[in-house]
């Protein structure tokens, strides 16, 4: 068995069955992805639209593609026909563009709201205040073709487990608050996308329902 195949089997043994493993295939080749696919895995994540579009046509049609990286509004249209879940909605402007393109394509697109929880300035995402203001706004009430399925966040890149755990707790807390205040009747609002190769165990302890795993499966990126 290939390393990639045994790694993906290994990660699934380390994760409860209720938690979705998104195999993050950015920078990996089509044949790397096929090695994971051949174990039966179907959920893959990419962070760049260009790369996703280039690879997806060379791969089986039953892959569930998740977009996990920052999405520019001018790239939205190209992913709408096939994307399974967009983890990285980080502004109302982007949400509106996704909604109008989804409407034109006559589909409903599942999205997560990305929150800024890390100390680093560079990570995208809503603050709690921004998200609450948006969800309470009249403009948001006009959104028709998006289903908000939960939240996503990235912890600070650090060896300090306490810091990482604290940030995941903040995200889970925001998830609960938003669920109670805006999605109490929604059956779809149930995902907490947090945890990567280095911190997925902590993330699961703190309530993650979706882990995004790249290097653990495919090896270190160059
Ligand atoms: C690359 C990436 C991951 C996976 O990172 P690994 O440390 O390789 O597991 C997860 N989430 C996002 C948003 C990423 O860009």
């Amino acid at each position: 068995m290939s390393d990639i195949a045994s790694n993906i089997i290994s990660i699934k043994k380390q994760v409860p069955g209720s938690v979705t493993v998104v195999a993050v295939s950015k920078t990996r080749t089509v044949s790397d992805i096929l090695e994971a696919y051949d174990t039966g895995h179907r959920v893959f994540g990419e962070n760049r639209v260009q790369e996703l579009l280039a690879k997806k046509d060379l791969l089986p049609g039953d892959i569930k593609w998740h977009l996990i990286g920052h999405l520019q509004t001018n790239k939205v249209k190209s992913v709408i026909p096939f994307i399974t879940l967009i983890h990285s909605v980080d502004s109302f402007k982007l949400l509106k563009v996704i909604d109008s393109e989804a409407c034109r394509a006559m589909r409903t697109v599942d999205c997560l709201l990305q929150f800024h929880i890390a100390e680093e300035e560079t990570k995208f995402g809503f603050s709690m205040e921004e998200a609450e203001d948006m969800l309470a706004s009249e403009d948001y009430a006009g959104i028709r073709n998006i289903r908000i399925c939960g939240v996503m966040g990235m912890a600070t890149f650090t060896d300090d487990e306490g810091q990482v755990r604290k940030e995941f707790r903040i995200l889970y807390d925001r998830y609960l608050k938003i669920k109670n205040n805006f999605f109490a009747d929604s059956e779809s609002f149930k995902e907490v996308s947090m945890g990567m190769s280095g911190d997925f165990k902590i993330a699961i302890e703190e309530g993650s329902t979706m882990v995004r795993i790249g290097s653990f499966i495919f090896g270190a990126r160059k």
Side-chain angles (χ1 to χ4, degrees):
M1 196 191 291
S2 75
D3 285 349
I4 290 172
S6 53
N7 291 342
I8 199 148
I9 290 164
S10 160
I11 187 90
K12 284 182 164 173
K13 282 190 185 141
Q14 296 181 49
V15 165
S18 57
V19 173
T20 303
V21 174
V22 180
V24 176
S25 51
K26 64 187 185 200
T27 77
R28 314 301 176 169
T29 64
V30 163
S31 79
D32 287 345
I33 297 172
L34 278 174
E35 284 182 25
Y37 178 91
D38 286 340
T39 67
H41 193 75
R42 292 295 178 269
V43 183
F44 291 86
E46 289 278 342
N47 69 334
R48 289 177 56 240
V49 170
Q50 223 64 42
E51 185 179 344
L52 169 56
L53 295 174
K55 286 196 262 192
K56 93 170 225 323
D57 287 340
L58 306 171
L59 283 156
D62 64 344
I63 288 182
K64 295 187 169 87
W65 289 107
H66 289 204
L67 191 71
I68 61 170
H70 180 63
L71 176 57
Q72 290 171 293
T73 51
N74 64 351
K75 303 249 171 75
V76 168
K77 188 178 178 171
S78 59
V79 301
I80 291 301
F82 69 90
I83 205 76
T84 296
L85 181 64
I86 300 174
H87 291 231
S88 43
V89 174
D90 56 8
S91 70
F92 183 57
K93 180 179 162 216
L94 176 59
L95 199 77
K96 268 197 308 202
V97 174
I98 296 170
D99 186 54
S100 64
E101 292 297 343
C103 180
R104 277 157 54 116
M106 294 192 289
R107 65 166 297 206
T108 300
V109 174
D110 287 349
C111 291
L112 305 179
L113 300 179
Q114 181 172 357
F115 279 92
H116 180 102
I117 53 169
E119 280 186 339
E120 291 122 349
E121 291 274 337
T122 53
K123 294 195 175 149
F124 293 100
F126 286 101
S127 68
M128 191 58 171
E129 191 186 2
E130 287 165 346
E132 286 179 325
D133 286 352
M134 176 183 83
L135 294 169
S137 71
E138 260 179 52
D139 282 349
Y140 175 77
I143 296 287
R144 288 280 174 275
N145 291 66
I146 287 178
R147 192 159 49 202
I148 306 270
C149 297
V151 304
M152 180 271 222
M154 286 168 87
T156 305
F157 187 72
T158 170
D159 289 338
D160 182 350
E161 284 193 11
Q163 171 80 17
V164 170
R165 188 179 296 279
K166 189 181 83 186
E167 290 170 359
F168 285 152
R169 253 177 218 177
I170 289 171
L171 183 62
Y172 193 80
D173 189 60
R174 290 181 183 183
Y175 160 75
L176 286 182
K177 237 176 167 169
I178 288 179
K179 188 172 177 62
N180 286 333
N181 291 341
F182 299 98
F183 296 96
D185 301 326
S186 159
E187 281 176 18
S188 325
F189 193 90
K190 58 182 166 49
E191 303 293 352
V192 182
S193 169
M194 61 184 189
M196 316 192 341
S197 296
D199 56 20
F200 71 90
K201 287 192 177 132
I202 303 172
I204 290 167
E205 285 166 8
E206 298 304 329
S208 173
T209 66
M210 236 177 220
V211 290
R212 309 177 309 270
I213 309 290
S215 39
F216 185 100
I217 297 170
F218 295 105
R221 277 183 301 276
K222 276 148 211 132

